[in-house]
């Protein structure tokens, strides 16, 4: 059985979306270390398929967090190297909990992982969209428009680290999405309505697949991807680039 005291984090950093995502996971890594976990952190150029395989073999982590680009049936690592693909090597997650912060993997890859024996899959059934405010490119952790999205991702990850049940982790994530949605209603920012729109989008496309069933919002089945999204897509990790200078 995998080691419940070990976690593996795969976080690429080779473009603006992944620089944001990898930066925002730093507090999660610090929190895991504080709790006494053995943390394997594959960051930037260390985030390769070979290193991922080696880390799985050496530390045998129960929790695996993958933060990069993805699509319905794949997730990548540094420089878009293929990391996992459905019905190819997704059995690597057998008996593990896999949290994929990447676009669309909840459509095919996540269910395939679960069928191959993963304890649970957490991720998104559509593009994971977040907002970027110009001027913060070199300091993502200070970006007020990105904070609601990544704070919520971190809340989910930390719930898992705290040993909460998958239902509790799901409820913590949904609750945090709702917290930020409510908060931004009162923020005097011209981008507030868009920030709320995409927080709702991410919330309603966040799912957990586990032996206890499928955790999803009641409106997820009614969510459809618009034919034209007003955003830039970077191979499965999406962000909105705002032009307002507020």
């Amino acid at each position: 059985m995998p080691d419940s005291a070990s976690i593996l984090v795969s976080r690429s950093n080779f473009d603006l979306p992944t620089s944001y995502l990898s930066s925002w996971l730093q507090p999660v890594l610090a929190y895991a270390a504080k709790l006494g976990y053995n943390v394997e952190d594959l960051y930037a150029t260390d985030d390769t398929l070979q290193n991922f395989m080696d880390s799985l073999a050496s530390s045998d982590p129960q929790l695996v967090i993958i933060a990069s680009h993805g699509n319905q049936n794949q997730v990548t690592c540094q420089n878009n190297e293929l990391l996992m693909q459905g019905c190819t090597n997704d059995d690597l997650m057998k008996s593990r909990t896999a949290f994929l912060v990447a676009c669309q993997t909840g459509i095919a890859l996540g269910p395939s992982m679960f069928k191959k024996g993963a304890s649970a899959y957490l991720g998104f059934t559509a593009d994971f969209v977040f907002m970027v405010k110009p001027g913060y490119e070199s300091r993502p952790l200070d970006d007020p428009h990105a904070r609601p999205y990544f704070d919520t991702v971190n809340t989910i990850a930390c719930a898992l680290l705290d040993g909460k049940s998958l239902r509790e982790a799901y409820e913590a994530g949904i609750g945090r999405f709702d917290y930020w949605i409510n908060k931004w209603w009162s923020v005097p920012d011209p981008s507030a309505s868009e920030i709320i729109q995409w927080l709702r989008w991410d919330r309603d496309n966040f799912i957990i697949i586990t032996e206890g069933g499928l955790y999803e919002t009641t409106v997820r089945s009614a969510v459809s991807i618009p034919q034209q999204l007003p955003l830039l897509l970077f191979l499965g990790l999406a962000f909105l680039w705002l032009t307002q200078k507020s």
Side-chain angles (χ1 to χ4, degrees):
M1 292 294 293
D3 184 0
S4 61
S6 293
I7 70 167
L8 171 59
V9 179
S10 165
R11 53 184 187 123
S12 60
N13 184 355
F14 60 94
D15 56 16
L16 190 59
T18 55
S19 75
Y20 265 73
L21 187 50
S22 61
S23 294
W24 275 98
L25 280 175
Q26 291 173 13
V28 172
L29 295 168
Y31 186 64
K34 181 180 179 180
L35 292 178
Y37 282 91
N38 170 37
V39 180
E40 291 279 338
D41 178 25
L42 302 181
Y43 171 65
T45 56
D46 288 332
D47 188 24
T48 65
L49 174 60
Q50 186 60 59
N51 287 344
F52 185 77
M53 297 287 289
D54 291 345
S55 293
L56 287 177
S58 62
S59 63
D60 195 21
Q62 200 284 320
L63 173 61
V64 177
I65 300 174
I66 302 172
S68 189
H69 293 299
N71 60 37
Q72 294 185 15
N73 203 42
Q74 297 178 343
V75 69
T76 66
C77 50
Q78 185 71 9
N79 297 324
N80 281 320
E81 179 187 7
L82 182 61
L83 187 66
M84 274 193 289
Q85 179 170 293
C87 297
T88 299
N89 64 343
D90 53 341
D91 58 338
L92 292 171
M93 294 297 102
K94 184 177 181 179
S95 300
R96 309 185 201 277
T97 295
F99 182 16
L100 273 60
V101 190
C103 292
Q104 302 184 13
T105 57
I107 296 174
L109 180 57
S112 182
M113 285 180 178
F114 185 69
K115 289 179 182 178
K116 300 296 193 307
S119 297
Y121 159 86
L122 301 85
F124 298 88
T125 58
D127 292 322
F128 175 69
V129 183
F130 63 96
M131 306 284 278
V132 169
K133 186 171 183 177
Y136 288 88
E137 298 87 350
S138 63
R139 45 194 181 105
L141 290 172
D142 296 326
D143 189 331
H145 289 175
R147 178 176 298 277
Y149 307 90
F150 294 112
D151 173 75
T152 302
V153 166
N154 288 359
T155 295
I156 297 165
C158 288
L160 296 173
L161 293 173
D162 285 335
K164 295 185 182 298
S165 69
L166 289 163
R167 176 176 290 278
E168 289 172 326
Y170 178 77
E171 291 174 349
I174 297 300
R176 200 62 179 169
F177 274 124
D178 288 340
Y179 164 81
W180 283 111
I181 289 167
N182 292 332
K183 183 177 180 64
W184 273 88
W185 275 115
S186 60
V187 175
D189 186 308
S191 303
S193 62
E194 290 179 273
I195 290 171
I196 291 169
Q197 174 188 356
W198 296 112
L199 282 168
R200 285 174 168 168
W201 171 271
D202 290 337
R203 178 196 65 188
D204 294 336
N205 284 293
F206 171 58
I207 66 167
I208 296 181
I209 305 173
T210 179
E211 292 181 359
L214 173 66
Y215 300 145
E216 60 181 339
T217 65
T218 57
V219 300
R220 187 183 76 83
S221 60
V223 173
S224 61
I225 300 176
Q227 291 183 354
Q228 291 184 334
L229 289 175
L231 49 80
L232 301 176
L233 294 179
F234 284 79
L235 297 176
L237 186 62
F239 73 95
L240 285 173
W241 182 271
L242 302 187
T243 58
Q244 292 93 339
K245 298 300 183 180
S246 59

